[in-house]
Amino acid sequence: MVRLQKVESMAADPSTLYLMRMETSEDKPPHREWHGTHHAWIFRPHAFRWAGPQIVGINFVPLAKDMRAWFLQQGNLPILSTADYLEIDSYYNPYAYSGSALALAMARVVNAFHDFTTVESPELDETDTEIERIRLYNEIILYSARICEVAIKQLLYCTNIPESRYRRMALGALLESPCPSCKEKNGAKPHQVSLVGTLAHPFHLCLEFEHCAMDHMDLVNRLRNSQAAHSGIQALKIRSIKESKENLLVDGEKILSGFLHMLSHLQTLEERMLDDLGKKAEAIIRLKVNGLEPEDCNFKLVPGETFTFEHPAIDP
Ligand SMILES: [Zn+2]
Ligand SMILES: [Zn+2]
Ligand SMILES: [Zn+2]
């Protein structure tokens, strides 16, 4: 039995509709040619949710899709809490839970950004307004980068790439990092590996990731590192309330439009993976219904390839 996911309403502010026009923005980040190699991988059993030996669903939430739908007022954000985790057949992908929390928190930030830039706030003087501008600017950058990270890690969790490899990685390293097996060989100069490219590879999405999505991720990552993660931050520039607010409106829209566009690429990847896993789950369920024993369920689930299974030879 497939349990329906608990989703509570988290309606987008009607005025976030302006993001729709922003999504087609020509405002592209500087082009960056990525050279990290892409590697073969297979799905691991953790790609599915299980009730005992039965597959009951896929073990990730389409976070990029849901976040983008929220921005476009076409859907709600998933609310996954510790109570869901305790249910027998629930998601056990840890990044689904942190992804839900991050998306819901970011929605608050975007609503606060919208209110601040469109509604008058007589309780704030020029200095207060400028401090609030910096706070919101930082949070928009921070959450954009964190949502990219968690959406990618959530998908990596379904693969046979060991979690120890990426658990502590920030976005920049997910985009490109030295190959660990080469690094271990003495004296070898390790080549670069892209885990983001590796995920996209079997679904023939390398080009759109290399030439667009990863440029957006790189930009938000560099902004986060220079403005919103360490000691670096914009200086206060006390000016009129109107100017402070307009400045945030321009900067915030620019980041969010890039973020929204980047989400559209991640959404495509999520949809390809869901579709692929859905078909594989069906094939496995059929095999089990036809009497395949659990101990024979040792499948090699190659992403993007139709799953076929040869019954183990029976001893004569
Ligand atoms: Zn290597
Ligand atoms: Zn590739
Ligand atoms: Zn693009």
Side-chain angles (χ1 to χ4, degrees):
M1 188 187 70
V2 180
R3 191 169 57 91
L4 278 179
Q5 193 48 49
K6 214 180 294 166
V7 174
E8 281 177 35
S9 158
M10 176 79 199
D13 186 310
S15 31
T16 51
L17 271 178
Y18 67 89
L19 285 164
M20 269 176 164
R21 69 174 158 76
M22 287 161 51
E23 199 182 6
T24 53
S25 153
E26 299 283 284
D27 207 356
K28 291 220 162 178
H31 183 71
R32 160 87 155 86
E33 193 69 59
W34 293 93
H35 297 292
T37 51
H38 305 170
H39 293 263
W41 51 272
I42 56 172
F43 287 111
R44 61 172 179 163
H46 298 63
F48 299 111
R49 303 197 326 268
W50 302 84
Q54 299 304 328
I55 291 179
V56 291
I58 292 162
N59 194 22
F60 72 85
V61 291
L63 197 66
K65 174 173 173 261
D66 290 348
M67 187 88 234
R68 190 162 163 272
W70 179 83
F71 269 107
L72 301 177
Q73 289 200 292
Q74 293 164 355
N76 303 320
L77 293 171
I79 299 185
L80 282 179
S81 75
T82 48
D84 296 286
Y85 191 76
L86 298 174
E87 305 223 3
I88 178 125
D89 57 353
S90 75
Y91 293 93
Y92 57 97
N93 186 328
Y95 303 105
Y97 292 85
S98 40
S100 165
L102 282 167
L104 291 161
M106 181 169 189
R108 295 273 172 109
V109 170
V110 171
N111 284 341
F113 159 72
H114 174 260
D115 288 348
F116 179 76
T117 51
T118 55
V119 182
E120 295 211 355
S121 31
E123 72 283 7
L124 302 181
D125 66 13
E126 285 81 0
T127 307
D128 295 329
T129 306
E130 181 62 9
I131 296 169
E132 187 65 358
R133 175 191 77 79
I134 291 221
R135 183 180 78 83
L136 289 169
Y137 176 66
N138 267 260
E139 291 192 358
I140 290 170
I141 294 172
L142 194 58
Y143 281 103
S144 300
R146 294 181 79 185
I147 294 219
C148 284
E149 264 173 39
V150 80
I152 293 160
K153 288 186 186 179
Q154 198 195 196
L155 301 183
L156 285 170
Y157 186 81
C158 299
T159 74
N160 66 334
I161 301 166
E163 209 196 339
S164 57
R165 172 85 194 278
Y166 56 82
R167 190 187 293 124
R168 296 167 62 89
M169 277 186 173
L171 189 53
L174 292 169
L175 286 168
E176 192 183 54
S177 63
C179 166
S181 25
C182 286
K183 224 160 77 177
E184 278 163 18
K185 288 183 206 141
N186 249 349
K189 189 178 181 294
H191 60 99
Q192 297 293 311
V193 174
S194 173
L195 286 178
V196 179
T198 291
L199 270 179
H201 186 78
F203 302 103
H204 312 292
L205 296 170
C206 301
L207 273 183
E208 64 169 89
F209 268 74
E210 291 270 351
H211 293 281
C212 190
M214 287 156 83
D215 289 338
H216 284 284
M217 292 175 192
D218 179 51
L219 182 73
V220 80
N221 182 53
R222 279 188 285 120
L223 268 178
R224 188 254 307 258
N225 291 345
S226 66
Q227 299 291 324
H230 307 290
S231 53
I233 189 166
Q234 283 183 344
L236 290 173
K237 186 178 169 192
I238 315 291
R239 47 198 145 173
S240 75
I241 289 174
K242 188 165 172 281
E243 279 176 294
S244 276
K245 290 194 171 200
E246 277 175 3
N247 184 281
L248 180 66
L249 183 65
V250 172
D251 287 353
E253 277 200 351
K254 202 168 164 186
I255 294 160
L256 289 176
S257 72
F259 175 67
L260 205 55
H261 180 80
M262 188 279 308
L263 287 180
S264 71
H265 288 289
L266 277 177
Q267 175 175 350
T268 308
L269 178 57
E270 287 174 349
E271 282 167 351
R272 297 275 173 93
M273 273 178 80
L274 281 175
D275 183 56
D276 193 23
L277 283 168
K279 288 184 182 134
K280 287 176 163 68
E282 266 176 41
I284 293 170
I285 290 166
R286 228 177 1 250
L287 283 167
K288 288 193 162 187
V289 168
N290 293 337
L292 186 72
E293 296 298 328
E295 53 270 29
D296 292 333
C297 296
N298 190 13
F299 310 127
K300 188 174 179 220
L301 299 177
V302 182
E305 280 180 25
T306 308
F307 169 62
T308 50
F309 179 73
E310 297 224 353
H311 208 288
I314 299 162
D315 289 334

